[in-house]
């Protein structure tokens, strides 16, 4: 191989190594939540509840009534990483909740669907799951979501959904 070709090859390999290191650092990102419409159903009809994001991690949902059924989709997105875990908590004395999930997303021995704790298999970047809840007591209900991904640079993400109930 001619001497000039060796220099070009060495330069190319050095450039490739620098670029790949830079790309790895850019692959770290904060996990994110996305939500579908909040649908409220009672015995006679279904409508969409108005929602507003009041801060970077709080969503205020329009007032519902005791015994209404509220359904919405939660999308957990690891962006450029993979999902690790999702925890959804609520006051089980004030609301009944359930999730429609696919068992193939989770590690069964570390997942408790009934109580909102999910440990993802190590290759999912994003999933969407419907959550349904029924307020059982008047007042204010809060659902807290906590999402962790494989990122080592950016911390987990949390979100609070606040629902007044009359």
């Amino acid at each position: 191989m001619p001497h000039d070709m060796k220099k070009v090859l060495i330069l190319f390999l050095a450039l490739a190594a620098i670029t790949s290191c830079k790309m790895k650092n850019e692959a770290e990102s904060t996990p994110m939540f996305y939500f579908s419409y909040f649908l409220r159903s009672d015995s006679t009809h279904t409508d969409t509840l108005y929602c507003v994001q009041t801060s970077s991690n709080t969503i205020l949902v329009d007032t519902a009534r005791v015994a209404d059924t509220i359904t919405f989709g939660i999308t957990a997105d690891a962006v450029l990483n993979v999902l690790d875990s999702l925890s959804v908590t609520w006051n089980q004395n004030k609301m009944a909740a359930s999730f429609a999930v696919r068992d193939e997303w989770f590690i069964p021995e570390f997942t408790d669907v009934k109580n909102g704790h999910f440990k993802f298999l190590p290759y999912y970047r994003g999933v969407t799951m419907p959550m349904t809840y029924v307020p059982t007591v008047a007042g204010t209900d809060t659902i807290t979501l906590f999402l962790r991904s494989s990122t080592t640079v950016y911390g987990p993400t949390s979100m609070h959904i606040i629902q007044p109930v009359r």
Side-chain angles (χ1 to χ4, degrees):
M1 185 180 290
H3 185 64
D4 288 337
M5 288 291 279
K6 287 181 184 176
K7 285 182 182 179
V8 170
L9 181 60
I10 290 171
L11 179 62
F12 176 75
L13 291 174
L15 184 61
I18 291 169
T19 303
S20 65
C21 291
K22 178 73 171 152
M23 288 172 65
K24 170 129 177 64
N25 289 338
E26 289 177 355
E28 297 289 334
S29 58
T30 303
M32 301 176 76
F33 286 110
Y34 301 99
F35 301 97
S36 71
Y37 295 107
F38 285 69
L39 298 175
R40 182 188 65 81
S41 302
D42 60 21
S43 59
T44 59
H45 71 288
T46 298
D47 61 354
T48 303
L49 291 172
Y50 178 75
C51 301
V52 63
Q53 190 161 352
T54 60
S55 72
S56 62
N57 69 339
T58 303
I59 294 176
L60 180 60
V61 182
D62 199 6
T63 304
R65 292 184 298 269
V66 171
D68 282 351
T69 300
I70 292 91
T71 303
F72 68 101
I74 302 167
T75 297
D77 185 0
V79 187
L80 299 170
N81 303 292
V82 293
L83 294 171
D84 178 61
S85 61
L86 170 64
S87 179
V88 182
T89 57
W90 63 93
N91 184 335
Q92 295 185 359
N93 295 322
K94 294 175 69 177
M95 105 176 30
S98 64
F99 301 89
V101 297
R102 293 179 154 182
D103 290 338
E104 65 264 16
W105 292 343
F106 309 108
I107 301 172
E109 56 271 14
F110 299 110
T111 297
D112 181 0
V113 175
K114 181 181 175 195
N115 290 307
H117 302 291
F118 307 96
K119 177 74 171 172
F120 295 97
L121 289 167
Y123 41 80
Y124 284 101
R125 288 186 176 209
V127 299
T128 299
M129 66 178 86
M131 178 178 178
T132 299
Y133 65 94
V134 178
T136 57
V137 177
T140 301
D141 292 339
T142 301
I143 300 170
T144 301
L145 299 100
F146 187 79
L147 178 62
R148 186 180 304 276
S149 72
S150 64
T151 182
T152 57
V153 177
Y154 300 100
T157 298
S158 65
M159 182 66 72
H160 305 282
I161 298 171
I162 299 172
Q163 170 85 64
V165 177
R166 60 182 158 137

